[in-house]
Amino acid sequence: MLTEFLDFLGSLHPLIVHLPIGIILLTIAIDVFMRNKNNSVYRVITMGWFFTFFTGLLAALFGWFLGDNGYYFESQINIHRWSGIALVSLSFIIWVLRYINFRFSKPFNRSLNLTTIILLMVTGHFGGEMTHGQNYLFENLPYIEKEISLVKLSEAKRSKADSLMVYEDLIHPILEEKCMACHNQNHAYGGLNMSAFESMVKGGNSGTGIKKGKPYESLIYKRVSFPHDHPKFMPPAGVPLSYDQIATLEWWIDNGAEKQIPVTSVRNDAKIQRMIEIQYGLDLKEKTFLETLKLASPSPEMLKSIQGEKYFFRYLNPEQSFMDLKFTKKEINTKDLINIQKVKKNIVWLNLMDCMLKDDHLGYLNDFPNLTRLKIQKNPLITNKGIEALKNLENLSELNLYGTRVSDAALITLGQIQSLKKLFLWNTRITPQAIADFKAQHPEIEIVAGL
Amino acid sequence: MHCNDHHHENKNYSRRDFLTKTSLGLGALSLGSMISPVNAYGQSEFLNLLDSEKMKLPHFVPKAKRVIYLFQSGAPSQLDLFDYKPKLNEMFGKEVPKSIIGEQRLTGMSSGQNSFPMAGSLFQFNQHGQSGAWMSELMPYTSKIVDDLCFIKSMYTDAINHDPAMTMIQTGSELPGRPSIGSWLSYGLGTDNKNLPEFVVLVTKGKNGQPLYSRLWGNGFLPSQHQGVQFRSGKDAVLYLDNPPGVSSGIREEQLKSLEKLQRIQHADIGDPEILTKISNYEMAYRMQTSVPEVMDVSDEPEYIFDLYGEDSKNPGTFAANCLLARKLVEKDVKFIQLYHRGWDQHGNLPKDIKKQAKETDQATAALIQDLKQRGLLEDTLVIWGGEFGRTNYSQGMLKPDNYGRDHHPRCFTIFMAGAGVKKGITIGATDDFGYNIAERPVHVHDFQATLMHLLGIDHEKLTFKFQGRRYRLTDVHGNVVKEVLA
């Protein structure tokens, strides 16, 4: 009963607090601008200081009750609380001195006025920060760059979007900023400690904090998505979570609220992906292997081996490190392949079509680490045996085998190439049935086998 | 890649350099050196730096290595082929609403008409494939492959007459004199096959219609080795390529070697870069004496391939035969193959004439795309089908229940693409219910060109050439890549 009454008084603090502010300013204005201070002016000023003290005392008292209900961070309250009390005390002292007709020297009077105004500004500012959030003062100034993303990611993290984790890098920083001042191991209001993942999931006095997969039954989500004037709305004071932040939290809980879920998994949800990209300044688009590959360009020494009529290559990137190489003659031999091997790291596309390539030649291609596209079509001497060598090509995504003599068994080998995306099998000995089976097993691989 | 050498070696001047630098007298010369502190003749370091940017081509990993552009000259009627507008059939014969035409310009051929009756297409439209693309019955073969195609239904251009519009879409400007797309690509990316030109032109024989000027595949101000080379059907695929009677290949080779020596001396003397171009042209021509007959020879194509392309494909010089040839050129890594098929300019008698036109192109177009696909060539080849502008929704001349004509219409037209780096089975942009104005996602010719360059790994804003005091590019100062097209 009493606490509720005190809580009520506490909520009057923001109302009362503006009375002393007005009175102080008026009092000081009279003191400064009324040059000719006869007796009655002097008395008006003295009375001004009394009312400052009296209303200030009420405001401070109500403020104390308000601060005591646990809805504010101690760290923020402290400055506001004690500068407010200092202000009240100062106004009391000034009033008493004037009341007993103590004679102020002019400079002393001025410095008292000045100290009062400074204290007033400090108190007011920190009070404002508690209700409107940090940075409230400058955020609407023109020419000041507005912070779009509320949570900042370091440049280093941003550049490695692939390794970011939803909880650690997106959710945790939000909760840290908005909740943990009141929900940590020392101050766990409502019995809820959010500083550790496990205790947050476990929840506080009212039970489970997060129900995996069920955002609308998770207390943590419910409390932040209430209407702002709901008595249980969290955070009870300060700036609420933004729409995007709540949506991110919802998405995360909905998707199992795992501690270790990579940010890139939002790719299955275009809307939330876009939201997160904008909020955190990320680019979550799927990168192809080549987009992530960094290579040095081949040395002149290496290039020497592929000079001459037989080879033709061009670079595919301005850094001149990705090579697209083709063999231009009608018949290739082991020596040619050894030459090509010299630049194997740099070759990303290789065209050996229609050059009498044989099975044992393919052995020379088995460790081209960055090869993504291989064209060995129209080489009728290639059979299943040769294909074996290709299964070590870790980054091969496109393989053209049309016009070779591979048959159904080759598909078993090809199925082992994890990176494979496209396979051209027209005019081979592979049967339609085998292709159908392969497609069922490897839906991610597109097969073109004629019309 | 060696462009205007004289920009780099400041001790050599071409005749043009000499004249431009001296014609204004010494006063102008000293003014020039005041403005450009590096020196009066060559370019400043800064500009050289810009030119060296070009050396780093492609600007990013390309999706396409080659382009086949099936140009439909004369402007095919999008309303009878792709852009289905039932409203025009509903309102057949009614006047086009004033609010639709507004104050837009019409050609002199129909602006004098006192009536603009709307002509719904006489042809049946149906949806095809998983993508549900609308196609008219005129293109039964292409209809079967719509899931491999990317339609842009909201293309528009500036010009309203054939020559400027063709010049625009082929060179980026309505005024003649700029390099064509193929020349830019040849200049920017160089060759992938030393025995064939980078840029080959094939024109369907025996067609009438709007004239084709060789400047449409011209190099403009780029070095002349970048111009398109026309391969003709018949005995001499490339004119004057064969040795004259009595001159053996050995004699020809010796002759060329001696000539080159003389040319090198001359180049050392006056430094005109066109001399180098000449040398390389002679060399290329010599190599082409064997490579061209080889590539033109279709005798070892199996019968089912001819069946695929249609019966015309055995008749050299037809669109179908040229499509087959285009595939062979692509297999040889020719970079840009430009086909022209004339006869789409149907101002009157459209229903009858378009049937014939469509029949000539439909099967072979579809066949080409399928053939490239089964060979794995569609992965790095871009195929484009389209004309220079569209045709009006109203009839030019008398509208009859079974006959109408259509005038030129630059406000909207349809093209389609397939292959490397392009999304499959989608339609971009839309026109209004009357098929007159664009309702969604306008794509200007320059946007289309920017996109084409992008697919080949070129930033269209970076590939420039300095000529007559300023830098030019294919898209001039316009163009945005149509991101929706990119796979």
Side-chain angles (χ1 to χ4, degrees):
Chain A
M1 182 61 202
L2 179 67
T3 37
E4 264 153 47
F5 183 64
L6 291 184
D7 273 357
F8 167 72
L9 290 183
S11 60
L12 290 181
H13 171 76
L15 181 81
I16 293 285
V17 80
H18 295 96
L19 276 174
I21 296 174
I23 297 171
I24 292 177
L25 292 177
L26 188 64
T27 307
I28 293 179
I30 295 171
D31 193 8
V32 172
F33 293 113
M34 305 269 283
R35 286 288 155 86
N36 180 11
K37 291 195 181 69
N38 60 29
N39 226 6
S40 45
V41 172
Y42 183 85
R43 290 227 316 267
V44 165
I45 295 172
T46 308
M47 202 155 69
W49 284 108
F50 170 73
F51 279 115
T52 300
F53 157 66
F54 180 68
T55 53
L57 186 66
L58 279 184
L61 205 61
F62 291 2
W64 194 283
F65 299 147
L66 180 62
D68 234 18
N69 69 5
Y71 285 178
Y72 295 94
F73 309 145
E74 283 302 320
S75 58
Q76 275 183 357
I77 290 183
N78 269 339
I79 306 180
H80 179 64
R81 177 184 280 158
W82 296 112
S83 63
I85 287 173
L87 191 59
V88 176
S89 317
L90 185 64
S91 60
F92 177 71
I93 292 168
I94 297 174
W95 171 64
V96 170
L97 289 177
R98 294 187 78 101
Y99 193 75
I100 61 172
N101 268 328
F102 182 82
R103 285 273 135 206
F104 294 96
S105 71
K106 253 195 174 155
F108 183 60
N109 191 36
R110 267 195 213 134
S111 47
L112 278 179
N113 283 349
L114 197 67
T115 316
T116 312
I117 287 190
I118 289 173
L119 269 178
L120 179 68
M121 280 164 62
V122 170
T123 314
H125 173 73
F126 285 96
E129 216 166 56
M130 265 188 286
T131 38
H132 307 298
Q134 276 169 12
N135 308 333
Y136 79 99
L137 194 53
F138 298 113
E139 71 191 0
N140 289 326
L141 268 187
Y143 310 118
I144 296 246
E145 202 178 316
K146 302 225 166 52
E147 211 50 79
I148 297 178
S149 61
L150 290 169
V151 181
K152 276 177 264 173
L153 277 180
S154 68
E155 196 50 51
K157 284 202 163 175
R158 210 176 290 159
S159 66
K160 282 191 293 182
D162 280 352
S163 59
L164 293 182
M165 292 290 156
V166 177
Y167 174 69
E168 191 182 316
D169 297 300
L170 306 188
I171 306 281
H172 185 84
I174 302 174
L175 301 181
E176 186 165 26
E177 184 190 326
K178 298 281 169 77
C179 321
M180 280 181 212
C182 303
H183 296 288
N184 54 48
Q185 53 274 54
N186 306 326
H187 290 268
Y189 287 114
L192 177 65
N193 170 10
M194 296 173 68
S195 58
F197 178 80
E198 290 72 23
S199 62
M200 173 180 77
V201 173
K202 195 165 127 267
N205 302 342
S206 320
T208 319
I210 288 177
K211 267 198 183 161
K212 297 186 175 184
K214 301 218 157 62
Y216 313 122
E217 295 169 23
S218 300
L219 216 47
I220 301 238
Y221 175 78
K222 269 162 88 176
R223 288 289 198 106
V224 299
S225 58
F226 278 144
H228 289 194
D229 53 1
H230 191 286
K232 297 274 180 192
F233 176 72
M234 287 287 146
V239 187
L241 266 60
S242 70
Y243 174 79
D244 290 357
Q245 291 173 332
I246 295 174
T248 309
L249 184 68
E250 177 186 357
W251 182 88
W252 174 64
I253 299 177
D254 201 23
N255 282 271
E258 294 300 331
K259 202 173 174 185
Q260 296 292 338
I261 131 171
V263 173
T264 46
S265 56
V266 301
R267 280 175 192 150
N268 57 27
D269 187 335
K271 194 175 145 216
I272 196 89
Q273 172 177 347
R274 198 71 202 110
M275 214 181 252
I276 289 178
E277 283 183 339
I278 293 172
Q279 199 187 158
Y280 296 92
L282 289 171
D283 179 6
L284 295 175
K285 241 187 349 310
E286 194 140 17
K287 297 262 189 316
T288 61
F289 167 67
L290 287 186
E291 280 170 318
T292 56
L293 182 63
K294 297 256 181 302
L295 275 181
S297 40
S299 65
E301 202 55 45
M302 288 152 79
L303 289 178
K304 228 176 246 160
S305 62
I306 48 160
Q307 255 154 22
E309 289 268 287
K310 284 182 161 181
Y311 316 95
F312 180 87
F313 76 89
R314 65 189 193 107
Y315 293 113
L316 294 173
N317 59 344
E319 295 79 22
Q320 313 227 313
S321 58
F322 299 173
M323 292 168 85
D324 171 16
L325 187 140
K326 79 173 171 186
F327 186 75
T328 63
K329 296 290 174 217
K330 288 255 181 294
E331 206 168 337
I332 198 165
N333 60 39
T334 325
K335 223 179 123 243
D336 299 329
L337 285 156
I338 292 173
N339 281 335
I340 293 174
Q341 264 195 336
K342 301 244 163 71
V343 285
K344 67 182 174 194
K345 250 177 123 175
N346 291 92
I347 293 183
V348 301
W349 295 352
L350 181 62
N351 182 352
L352 302 178
M353 74 181 263
D354 201 6
C355 63
M356 303 301 278
L357 200 65
K358 301 191 187 68
D359 277 342
D360 45 346
H361 286 151
L362 289 179
Y364 293 94
L365 302 181
N366 79 344
D367 59 343
F368 278 48
N370 300 318
L371 186 62
T372 64
R373 175 183 280 176
L374 178 61
K375 298 188 170 216
I376 49 173
Q377 66 263 38
K378 290 172 105 174
N379 284 304
L381 299 176
I382 299 281
T383 69
N384 297 353
K385 210 169 116 245
I387 300 301
E388 280 294 316
L390 303 181
K391 69 176 179 220
N392 301 328
L393 294 171
E394 294 175 349
N395 288 303
L396 188 67
S397 70
E398 191 190 314
L399 178 61
N400 197 329
L401 290 172
Y402 104 72
T404 61
R405 282 197 318 190
V406 294
S407 62
D408 292 356
L411 288 177
I412 299 171
T413 317
L414 295 171
Q416 295 170 32
I417 308 176
Q418 298 291 328
S419 50
L420 204 60
K421 296 253 164 57
K422 243 176 206 166
L423 199 48
F424 295 90
L425 298 175
W426 178 52
N427 262 344
T428 60
R429 296 182 174 183
I430 296 178
T431 58
Q433 184 55 44
I435 288 174
D437 292 347
F438 186 80
K439 273 186 180 161
Q441 269 179 41
H442 302 276
E444 74 285 359
I445 301 179
E446 185 188 335
I447 294 190
V448 179
L451 305 176
Chain B
M1 295 282 278
H2 290 287
C3 58
N4 41 352
D5 282 34
H6 54 304
H7 288 164
H8 308 291
E9 304 165 33
N10 45 22
K11 68 181 203 298
N12 295 328
Y13 324 113
S14 68
R15 180 184 53 86
R16 168 166 291 149
D17 278 338
F18 180 77
L19 289 176
T20 47
K21 294 298 180 191
T22 55
S23 57
L24 290 175
L26 280 174
L29 199 70
S30 63
L31 183 68
S33 58
M34 263 154 66
I35 292 168
S36 166
V38 177
N39 64 56
Y41 302 109
Q43 293 184 316
S44 71
E45 294 290 341
F46 170 67
L47 293 182
N48 273 330
L49 211 71
L50 283 181
D51 272 340
S52 69
E53 279 291 294
K54 191 178 74 63
M55 296 311 200
K56 296 214 191 105
L57 278 157
H59 298 120
F60 37 85
V61 179
K63 290 286 188 314
K65 288 170 69 176
R66 300 165 292 256
V67 182
I68 300 177
Y69 194 162
L70 307 173
F71 194 84
Q72 310 300 317
S73 159
S77 165
Q78 77 282 11
L79 293 169
D80 295 282
L81 296 168
F82 316 105
D83 207 8
Y84 179 44
K85 295 295 160 192
K87 186 108 194 161
L88 293 179
N89 295 83
E90 252 168 59
M91 300 180 68
F92 196 93
K94 298 225 170 68
E95 288 296 305
V96 185
K98 272 261 150 18
S99 59
I100 294 295
I101 300 192
E103 297 292 302
Q104 296 180 20
R105 123 191 106 154
L106 306 176
T107 74
M109 290 172 281
S110 64
S111 61
Q113 285 182 202
N114 43 24
S115 159
F116 296 98
M118 284 187 277
S121 178
L122 288 184
F123 300 98
Q124 196 69 42
F125 275 78
N126 281 306
Q127 281 183 293
H128 294 273
Q130 294 208 313
S131 55
W134 286 98
M135 291 285 284
S136 91
E137 57 184 322
L138 288 169
M139 294 218 156
Y141 288 91
T142 311
S143 298
K144 287 197 203 115
I145 60 158
V146 289
D147 286 343
D148 281 318
L149 307 182
C150 167
F151 290 91
I152 305 181
K153 294 204 164 161
S154 50
M155 288 286 299
Y156 69 104
T157 184
D158 302 342
I160 200 167
N161 255 318
H162 297 283
D163 182 60
M166 287 223 277
T167 313
M168 177 85 178
I169 201 163
Q170 303 264 282
T171 73
S173 163
E174 284 181 49
L175 301 175
R178 303 276 176 85
S180 54
I181 304 174
S183 298
W184 276 112
L185 295 178
S186 161
Y187 164 70
L189 298 173
T191 179
D192 282 349
N193 181 336
K194 290 172 194 141
N195 299 326
L196 287 169
E198 291 96 272
F199 179 11
V200 171
V201 178
L202 302 167
V203 181
T204 309
K205 71 170 181 195
K207 295 287 296 181
N208 295 320
Q210 296 302 324
L212 293 174
Y213 308 94
S214 61
R215 63 172 152 79
L216 290 175
W217 52 93
N219 53 301
F221 40 70
L222 296 176
S224 53
Q225 81 226 45
H226 301 299
Q227 69 186 300
V229 177
Q230 187 181 352
F231 284 15
R232 304 166 341 128
S233 58
K235 204 168 107 323
D236 285 327
V238 177
L239 286 176
Y240 316 118
L241 190 64
D242 286 347
N243 297 333
V247 176
S248 74
S249 166
I251 294 178
R252 173 47 63 103
E253 200 183 335
E254 250 173 62
Q255 203 179 34
L256 288 175
K257 272 194 185 134
S258 316
L259 186 60
E260 190 192 331
K261 268 186 212 144
L262 289 173
Q263 285 169 327
R264 295 242 173 243
I265 294 170
Q266 196 187 19
H267 181 255
D269 190 20
I270 62 171
D272 185 345
E274 272 297 307
I275 299 172
L276 294 181
T277 300
K278 227 153 196 126
I279 297 175
S280 79
N281 284 353
Y282 278 121
E283 281 170 359
M284 173 63 83
Y286 181 68
R287 287 195 300 270
M288 279 164 61
Q289 286 186 333
T290 48
S291 62
V292 170
E294 198 182 290
V295 76
M296 299 293 281
D297 177 18
V298 290
S299 60
D300 54 354
E301 288 293 320
E303 201 58 30
Y304 63 81
I305 290 294
F306 288 114
D307 289 346
L308 182 65
Y309 284 79
E311 53 187 331
D312 273 359
S313 62
K314 284 195 169 163
N315 180 3
T318 58
F319 182 77
N322 284 346
C323 280
L324 180 56
L325 214 55
R327 190 217 81 209
K328 292 201 68 187
L329 290 164
V330 154
E331 284 182 305
K332 297 274 179 230
D333 277 324
V334 171
K335 186 146 287 139
F336 197 86
I337 300 144
Q338 175 80 60
L339 269 72
Y340 289 97
H341 188 72
R342 295 192 289 165
W344 289 100
D345 191 22
Q346 287 126 8
H347 290 275
N349 248 338
L350 184 139
K352 196 169 132 276
D353 291 352
I354 200 171
K355 246 192 217 155
K356 191 168 147 280
Q357 258 332 91
K359 191 160 182 310
E360 282 167 353
T361 51
D362 171 44
Q363 184 177 0
T365 302
L368 174 63
I369 292 170
Q370 284 173 299
D371 199 13
L372 291 175
K373 186 175 172 180
Q374 69 184 352
R375 289 166 203 268
L377 290 164
L378 206 54
E379 291 309 299
D380 45 16
T381 307
L382 175 68
V383 182
I384 305 163
W385 190 104
E388 67 267 37
F389 43 59
R391 306 207 76 88
T392 54
N393 66 350
Y394 61 81
S395 177
Q396 179 178 355
M398 271 280 267
L399 174 68
K400 300 206 184 102
D402 61 349
N403 200 1
Y404 47 83
R406 296 190 191 275
D407 200 357
H408 306 169
H409 189 61
R411 310 270 151 215
C412 62
F413 62 109
T414 302
I415 65 164
F416 65 79
M417 304 197 241
V422 171
K423 278 205 191 101
K424 291 177 186 179
I426 79 156
T427 294
I428 289 156
T431 54
D432 62 17
D433 286 348
F434 297 93
Y436 200 93
N437 294 304
I438 291 171
E440 220 177 80
R441 187 53 173 111
V443 177
H444 189 265
V445 165
H446 285 132
D447 301 332
F448 156 73
Q449 290 162 340
T451 311
L452 191 158
M453 301 286 261
H454 181 92
L455 289 165
L456 284 135
I458 298 174
D459 179 344
H460 71 107
E461 296 187 358
K462 283 199 198 145
L463 182 62
T464 60
F465 189 89
K466 195 178 176 216
F467 175 65
Q468 288 186 340
R470 85 142 159 118
R471 266 151 217 292
Y472 285 87
R473 50 181 230 230
L474 173 61
T475 50
D476 204 353
V477 296
H478 310 280
N480 291 301
V481 174
V482 185
K483 292 252 161 62
E484 296 93 317
V485 167
L486 311 177

